[in-house]
Structures are given as C-alpha cells and as structure tokens.
Amino acid sequence: QVQLVESGGGLVQPGGSLTLSCAASGITFTRYAMAWFRQAPGKEREFVAAISQRSGSIIHADSVKGRFTISKNNAKSTVTLQMNNLQPGDTAVYYCAAGGRVIVSQLRSHSAYDYWGQGTQVTVSS
C-alpha cells in the first residue's frame, strides 16, 4: 500500500519559515518524481515545486522561486520543501505527490502524478 505522509505545516508570521516533509512508503522511491502542490480556499490546485526521479531536474513555480527549495533524500524516502520568507499568499493546504512515469515536461502537471498525500495546512498570518 502506497502512503505519502506530510508533516511540518502550521501557523507562521509573514517573513517566517517552515519546513514541510513527506515520507513515502510502498513505492521504489528512487523511481519516482516527487512534487509539492498547494490549494488555497476557493482556488485550484497549484504547482509549487518538483524534482525528477534522479534529481536531475528541479523546478519551482515562479511565485516561490528564491524562497522555497525542494530536495529529495533517497536513503530516507523523503522529500522536503524548505519555505522561507513566507507571505500571506502562501496560505494553503500543501500536498505531496509521487509519479512513476513523469517526464520532465510534465513535472508541473498534477495529472501526471499517481499518488497524493492527505495534505498539511500552512497559514501565514500576523
């Protein structure tokens, strides 16, 4: 059974930092591209960052570039999203996703991913 379990969400003030982690089980982690998406109330799910199977391709959405960093630890089967300088517009539920057949051109597409976590809430507010 495949499981993706996110952790690390919470309430933070503008300008603060959070680190989200996603622990994967039930998959051969090195064969999967991993990604983070987010969804704010009343909005569609939005791409945040992705890393390809062998970590050869790492991409971030323009809205988070320079503030967020995705990384993958194959030994621990985890993917991390380091989020710095958080702003109220970053408030959303953040989802981890895993895809076994994602090519580089598809990394931003939510439909390319096979498995999803339950999500973790990030709230940025003073």
Side-chain angles (χ1 to χ4, degrees):
Q1 182 181 0
V2 178
Q3 281 194 314
L4 300 177
V5 180
E6 300 103 333
S7 61
L11 172 65
V12 64
Q13 292 186 342
S17 298
L18 282 174
T19 302
L20 304 184
S21 292
C22 172
S25 60
I27 60 173
T28 304
F29 190 73
T30 54
R31 296 180 181 177
Y32 278 73
M34 302 298 295
W36 289 95
F37 289 78
R38 67 186 182 186
Q39 188 165 18
K43 294 188 177 181
E44 293 187 354
R45 193 164 296 193
E46 174 189 26
F47 169 77
V48 177
I51 186 165
S52 63
Q53 286 86 335
R54 293 179 177 82
S55 303
S57 294
I58 299 174
I59 58 173
H60 297 82
D62 288 345
S63 59
V64 307
K65 201 171 292 184
R67 301 187 298 125
F68 293 9
T69 303
I70 188 172
S71 60
K72 195 170 182 253
N73 186 323
N74 288 330
K76 296 183 177 180
S77 296
T78 58
V79 60
T80 298
L81 185 69
Q82 176 64 44
M83 305 187 296
N84 298 325
N85 191 21
L86 283 158
Q87 300 300 317
D90 296 317
T91 295
V93 177
Y94 283 71
Y95 296 92
C96 172
R101 296 171 298 276
V102 183
I103 60 176
V104 172
S105 61
Q106 298 172 324
L107 284 170
R108 297 175 184 267
S109 174
H110 66 84
S111 62
Y113 293 87
D114 305 306
Y115 303 106
W116 293 83
Q118 81 287 352
T120 185
Q121 177 71 46
V122 171
T123 303
V124 185
S125 175
S126 55

